[in-house]
Amino acid sequence: MKKIFLSSMLTLSMLLTFAVPLFAAPSIQLVINSEVVHSDAPPVSVAGRTMVPLASLKPLKLNLVWNADKKTVTVNAPGAKEILVLTIDKKEASYGEKTLALDVPAQLNKNRIVVPLRFISEAFKAQVEWKADKNTVIIRSADQVKKYKKLYQGADLVAARKIAVNLPSKDENTLHNTEEGVYYQYIFPEGEALRYYSVVGNLLTYYEIKDDVKHLVWEGVEEDSGKYTKEKGKRPPVDKTQYFFLKERVDNSVTYGKVGAKKPVTQALPDSASVLADIIVSISGEVRKDQMK
């Protein structure tokens, strides 16, 4: 018996003939912990049920052991004592001492094991959302559920903003800072956390967070005059009220306040401050406005 990872799980000798046909579900996007998963085995549709390949769940760091004789796969999740055992074409799976029912049995499709979405939620205690209007499946691992609740529903604006700037994004800048003196800055619309500017010198990058994914929407290189020598993407409209948080590269302090105000505040960062997100502090009187239900 050989342990194998999700990205290279099965060989051609494991193919089976299915009683229930599998059809590729058109343009289904899979997002796990804010990472858009690109896989050679996309989600499929089985008898009206959306099935997700275990191979696509690599961000959950699952390990698998395949038993070709018994047609079973044993799944080990990080931090979980229970072992999950799936049997191909069987509508039951064992999870520790429990027996879990599957709407549709685990199956093989193009050398990949596929399982129903409902099963993922039950077996791995993950939070699963199906955005039918966007054909998107969103999965949040059990250890990340509280974080996303703070991001979307939390009244703590500072906590939500720190989560937002720390979310991963695979979008990369194509423009570059051209100033010699470098400082770092975040700019948020008043009361909001789900969209913001990240500033490095004179390079501004505008991000929006939608369906757990952080998108780079616009970037621009700014002159002293406030005009942009270079731009890419759609420049967002200027918000009526914005707040900034600025840190010089060599100074362990943060300057913050209302954009355009004449009297910003400068204060020393605590010794515990270790990441750039720590420059985001509370603004007196500011209340969160973009909480979601």
Side-chain angles (χ1 to χ4, degrees), residues 127 129 140 144-156 160 163 212 288 291-293:
Q127 186 179 70
E129 282 189 44
R140 300 162 188 156
Q144 298 291 309
V145 171
K146 288 184 179 179
K147 180 183 80 173
Y148 286 99
K149 187 173 182 179
K150 289 181 181 179
L151 174 64
Y152 293 120
Q153 287 91 36
D156 188 336
I163 292 170
D212 288 11
R288 186 166 189 190
Q291 288 168 281
M292 295 183 177
K293 294 182 180 180

Side-chain angles (χ1 to χ4, degrees), residues 16-64:
L16 299 177
T17 301
F18 304 116
V20 180
L22 296 173
F23 301 97
S27 304
I28 291 180
Q29 177 173 263
L30 179 61
V31 177
I32 301 178
N33 293 340
S34 292
E35 179 181 339
V36 179
V37 178
H38 300 286
S39 172
D40 60 349
V44 294
S45 179
V46 179
R49 300 285 185 177
T50 300
M51 307 281 283
V52 175
L54 284 175
S56 299
L57 303 182
K58 189 175 181 180
L60 295 178
K61 299 179 181 179
L62 303 177
N63 292 325
L64 296 90

Side-chain angles (χ1 to χ4, degrees), residues 83 126 141 174 188 223 242 246-247 260 269:
I83 300 297
S141 58
T174 59
F188 288 88
E223 293 181 340
Q242 297 176 319
L246 182 148
K247 181 183 185 300
L269 290 171

Side-chain angles (χ1 to χ4, degrees), residues 185-216:
Q185 185 177 190
Y186 293 120
I187 302 173
F188 288 88
E190 181 181 14
E192 296 189 31
L194 301 178
R195 58 191 184 99
Y196 68 95
Y197 294 86
S198 175
V199 185
V200 179
N202 65 346
L203 174 63
L204 285 77
T205 307
Y206 177 73
Y207 292 100
E208 290 183 351
I209 298 168
K210 294 181 178 180
D211 298 324
D212 288 11
V213 180
K214 183 160 69 175
H215 302 276
L216 192 166

